[in-house]
Amino acid sequence: MLKYIFKRILILIPLIFLVSFIVFALMDNAPGDPVRTLVGENMTEEQIEQKREELGFNDPLLVRYGRYMKGVFKGDFGKSLYGNKDVLTEYLFRLPFTVNLALISIFFTLIISIPIGIIAAVKQNTWIDAIFSAGAIMGLSIPGFWLGLMLVLLFSVKLGWFPVYGADEGLKSYILPAITLGVANASLLTRMTRSSLLDTIRQDYLKTVRAKGLSERKTILNHAFRNALIPIATIAGSQFSGLLSGSIIVENVFSWPGIGTLTVTAIRNHDITLATGCAVLTTMFTAVTLLIVDILYAFIDPRIKAQYTGK
Amino acid sequence: MKKNHKKAKNKSLIWRQFKKNKGAVIGLIVFCIIVVIAIVSVIVFDFDADITAVKAADRLLPPSKEHWFGTDNLGRDVFARVCYGAQYSLLIGVVSVIISVVFGSLVGAFAAFVGGWIETIIMRLIELLLMIPGILLVIMIVYTFGASIPNLMLALGLSTVPHFARNARASVLTVRNNEYIEASRALGASELSILFKHVLPNAISPILVQATSRISGCIISAAGYSFLGLGVPSPLPEWGAMLSDGRPFIYNYPYLEIFPGLAIMITVLAINQIGDGLRDALDPKLKR
């Protein structure tokens, strides 16, 4: 198990190199001149050229990349071109907004989709199942950002229940963005729960359980569901890590002060250091989250644990 | 002759399975209607006069008999624009998935077929690429090369190549060990012809199912990127771009945001239903 964790952590190193190189090379070819944006319009060409030399923008791509990576491994992601703020500090300041939102959203997702999925599976091929399944495919088909706009229109503008944007009103501000992010995930998870449970319901050992005289309710909850839980947990875990980067567009709808908005603003401002930093940090953070989720599975599923220790 | 007969039988079997799923059939019908709308609107509407021309006198009219979906802040008819926009979403969805399927299948199938250290290197690289959030890649690619339809298609397509490559490799690996492959090898067929004639056709159904669901995903993402201003540029009536244009007016003129969004939803719903039907028809094991 330890060996496995160690291996997974080692993978992060080439990942950092790869993602930062891709982003670095892309942003290098991006339109706009970061130095010109930085110094303002009143400078002469010579002054701009001097500044460029000073910041090291005239070195070849690989030299600059090497310098950047040297900094990254010391924990220095450079300073943003706008406002001259430390990239890592700025990122870590915004991160909790995105993480909290993702946590609340996945919480909504789980408490809604698991019960519905179980009911749909137990009542398979009835009208209840049909309605839930239709709802799930609807939920999968709604563009998240559009749903967010519609929710704001109804609940914030018409009814005034929630703030229109931002994260200033505590838990109240989290509700609409969390639901917006959760609908597609909840729909997928409902379908997964249903099909995973249907799979286990057909297993032979459940016949034994029923034959023992256990009530149907107990059979489903204590035996079938616990075994159906593993694929459900797998999906939920990857959904959570997906939310960390996937909330970019929805964050924009709610003007949410998270890392998604930070990334998009950096890109729009041609702020190369900040944008590269955001991309590298988000990738690393997502990868670490997935790693933690994977380790947690080993605790739910003894079979996975046995696999690692057996190797 | 006999082989063709068998193929036709297989196809009709898949179709019969597909027909059993009412939702999938409705989805297919709706999808066909959307395709017809997309084609007809290109013929009926004039791009300059009906889609992009500014008509100051008609600004922000609510839905009425003349303007079914109202008009936007530049006096353009929203109904015409929504209909005209269908082609963009369909095109982006289909083309970007074709890019992912073609590149992904080739890379994955190649890796599975050559094996050895080349396979190891390719798969390690794919594993790494899979860990980079696709949304970041797409945004950076589109930003770097400029917001346009071809760039968006390329970015969306490339960002999912690793997923398709991984799945294609897995399907090829399962198919490769079948006896009929060994038989054709014994008959002296070259490795490449085995790959294209026998392995890929038999590995195609999981790829097809994945591709269908990916089309709807691409349509939603494309609209999202256009909404951010990092997708289809504004005067074009792509649905996400329309949502972005109408956003400042959402409080007083919500219809500007409702109709393009509904159009995306209906299109994606139809494709998702088709995808479900295809999955059930192609993979009897998954059928419930």
Side-chain angles (χ1 to χ4, degrees):
Chain A
M1 188 73 204
L2 267 176
K3 204 174 144 197
Y4 171 76
I5 296 172
F6 187 66
K7 239 164 104 185
R8 286 285 303 265
I9 292 172
L10 272 188
I11 283 188
L12 292 181
I13 296 170
L15 177 68
I16 296 169
F17 274 103
L18 184 70
V19 69
S20 34
F21 185 74
I22 292 175
V23 175
F24 210 85
L26 277 177
M27 293 306 275
D28 196 60
N29 291 302
D33 183 344
V35 180
R36 208 173 287 268
T37 335
L38 184 64
V39 296
E41 287 177 3
N42 300 330
M43 291 263 208
T44 63
E45 283 300 313
E46 278 144 35
Q47 280 170 308
I48 292 175
E49 194 51 40
Q50 200 188 346
K51 187 85 185 169
R52 199 192 298 275
E53 192 66 46
E54 198 182 298
L55 289 167
F57 270 101
N58 283 341
D59 296 333
L61 175 71
L62 279 178
V63 174
R64 276 178 291 135
Y65 175 66
R67 199 161 46 211
Y68 181 76
M69 288 316 287
K70 227 166 125 187
V72 166
F73 277 92
K74 284 188 219 147
D76 174 18
F77 285 82
K79 286 188 162 47
S80 64
L81 296 177
Y82 270 92
N84 203 27
K85 285 182 196 144
D86 185 58
V87 170
L88 188 62
T89 320
E90 181 73 10
Y91 187 86
L92 292 179
F93 174 73
R94 303 288 199 104
L95 188 61
F97 288 102
T98 299
V99 173
N100 291 342
L101 185 59
L103 283 172
I104 294 175
S105 176
I106 208 78
F107 174 72
F108 274 134
T109 303
L110 291 172
I111 57 165
I112 291 171
S113 59
I114 290 180
I116 291 184
I118 293 177
I119 294 169
V122 174
K123 308 259 171 195
Q124 191 197 0
N125 297 334
T126 62
W127 61 272
I128 302 176
D129 179 28
I131 287 177
F132 283 154
S133 297
I137 198 161
M138 283 281 271
L140 271 179
S141 308
I142 301 179
F145 64 100
W146 181 68
L147 178 70
L149 288 171
M150 294 299 115
L151 290 177
V152 167
L153 209 55
L154 181 61
F155 292 105
S156 305
V157 178
K158 284 254 153 43
L159 298 171
W161 292 353
F162 302 105
V164 175
Y165 59 82
D168 303 327
E169 292 183 34
L171 197 61
K172 234 176 154 186
S173 352
Y174 277 89
I175 291 176
L176 287 188
I179 291 175
T180 306
L181 285 171
V183 165
N185 284 343
S187 308
L188 188 67
L189 212 58
T190 304
R191 284 164 65 119
M192 282 301 301
T193 309
R194 177 177 176 276
S195 62
S196 172
L197 198 59
L198 284 176
D199 259 348
T200 40
I201 281 176
R202 291 188 188 144
Q203 304 281 330
D204 285 339
Y205 64 83
L206 280 185
K207 279 193 197 132
T208 319
V209 172
R210 285 202 192 95
K212 267 185 359 190
L214 213 61
S215 74
E216 189 61 25
R217 190 192 164 86
K218 274 194 174 155
T219 313
I220 297 289
L221 289 181
N222 292 358
H223 294 267
F225 177 64
R226 281 181 74 169
N227 281 294
L229 197 64
I230 293 151
I232 299 170
T234 316
I235 300 285
S238 70
Q239 283 182 340
F240 176 71
S241 74
L243 280 176
L244 300 174
S245 63
S247 60
I248 288 186
I249 300 170
V250 170
E251 281 192 14
N252 185 276
V253 171
F254 290 93
S255 303
W256 193 254
I259 51 174
T261 307
L262 184 71
T263 312
V264 171
T265 322
I267 292 177
R268 282 198 183 135
N269 288 344
H270 305 280
D271 194 332
I272 293 186
T273 2
L274 187 57
T276 314
C278 283
V280 174
L281 285 164
T282 305
T283 308
M284 280 164 59
F285 192 64
T286 317
V288 172
T289 315
L290 261 185
L291 170 65
I292 295 170
V293 168
D294 277 356
I295 294 170
L296 288 179
Y297 293 150
F299 288 96
I300 325 178
D301 189 352
R303 279 174 303 186
I304 298 180
K305 205 171 173 182
Q307 238 175 49
Y308 296 141
T309 43
K311 255 181 195 171
Chain B
M1 183 66 190
K2 217 173 184 180
K3 203 178 152 200
N4 278 341
H5 179 67
K6 201 183 165 197
K7 253 190 182 164
K9 206 175 158 193
N10 257 341
K11 261 185 200 153
S12 79
L13 195 73
I14 291 170
W15 173 237
R16 227 180 309 153
Q17 281 290 338
F18 187 85
K19 266 198 305 194
K20 276 188 199 158
N21 186 334
K22 270 182 237 149
V25 173
I26 296 171
L28 189 63
I29 294 169
V30 173
F31 182 74
C32 291
I33 293 172
I34 296 168
V35 172
V36 170
I37 290 176
I39 296 169
V40 169
S41 57
V42 177
I43 302 166
V44 171
F45 297 116
D46 182 69
F47 183 75
D48 293 319
D50 301 317
I51 306 298
T52 52
V54 178
K55 296 172 197 108
D58 296 339
R59 285 186 76 235
L60 295 167
L61 296 174
S64 63
K65 253 186 213 159
E66 291 84 61
H67 303 287
W68 290 357
F69 294 174
T71 61
D72 67 5
N73 60 314
L74 298 174
R76 301 174 295 196
D77 183 63
V78 176
F79 177 72
R81 284 171 66 79
V82 168
C83 291
Y84 202 84
Q87 55 178 308
Y88 300 111
S89 291
L90 293 178
L91 202 67
I92 293 170
V94 172
V95 174
S96 45
V97 170
I98 289 177
I99 294 174
S100 333
V101 170
V102 170
F103 282 97
S105 308
L106 284 181
V107 172
F110 176 74
F113 225 71
V114 291
W117 60 273
I118 302 178
E119 182 184 19
T120 314
I121 290 182
I122 294 177
M123 293 326 287
R124 279 288 135 83
L125 196 66
I126 283 172
E127 262 171 49
L128 284 180
L129 286 172
L130 278 171
M131 290 168 89
I132 304 176
I135 196 166
L136 285 175
L137 275 185
V138 173
I139 288 182
M140 302 255 165
I141 295 175
V142 172
Y143 170 72
T144 304
F145 297 107
S148 73
I149 294 175
N151 288 349
L152 184 63
M153 293 194 290
L154 203 64
L156 278 170
L158 289 179
S159 70
T160 40
V161 164
H163 299 80
F164 279 92
R166 190 180 52 179
N167 283 13
R169 174 177 168 266
S171 350
V172 169
L173 282 181
T174 36
V175 174
R176 193 178 57 174
N177 296 327
N178 282 329
E179 275 159 7
Y180 60 85
I181 304 288
E182 216 165 296
S184 49
R185 196 169 291 143
L187 285 171
S190 77
E191 290 292 301
L192 212 64
S193 88
I194 291 176
L195 177 62
F196 281 102
K197 268 197 185 147
H198 301 287
V199 178
L200 274 181
N202 282 297
I204 209 109
S205 55
I207 299 175
L208 194 67
V209 171
Q210 191 193 6
T212 316
S213 74
R214 185 58 204 155
I215 291 179
S216 53
C218 271
I219 291 178
I220 289 187
S221 320
Y225 298 127
S226 303
F227 179 74
L228 278 185
L230 290 167
V232 180
S234 170
L236 296 181
E238 197 267 347
W239 295 329
M242 289 179 71
L243 288 172
S244 174
D245 288 344
R247 201 173 162 200
F249 309 97
I250 182 170
Y251 303 128
N252 297 320
Y253 309 95
Y255 60 87
L256 286 179
E257 297 294 273
I258 291 173
F259 294 115
L262 278 179
I264 303 173
M265 198 178 110
I266 293 167
T267 310
V268 172
L269 188 59
I271 296 172
N272 278 341
Q273 292 281 17
I274 296 172
D276 275 10
L278 266 183
R279 192 195 53 205
D280 292 349
L282 288 174
D283 193 347
K285 269 178 289 176
L286 284 170
K287 185 151 174 61
R288 318 228 166 271

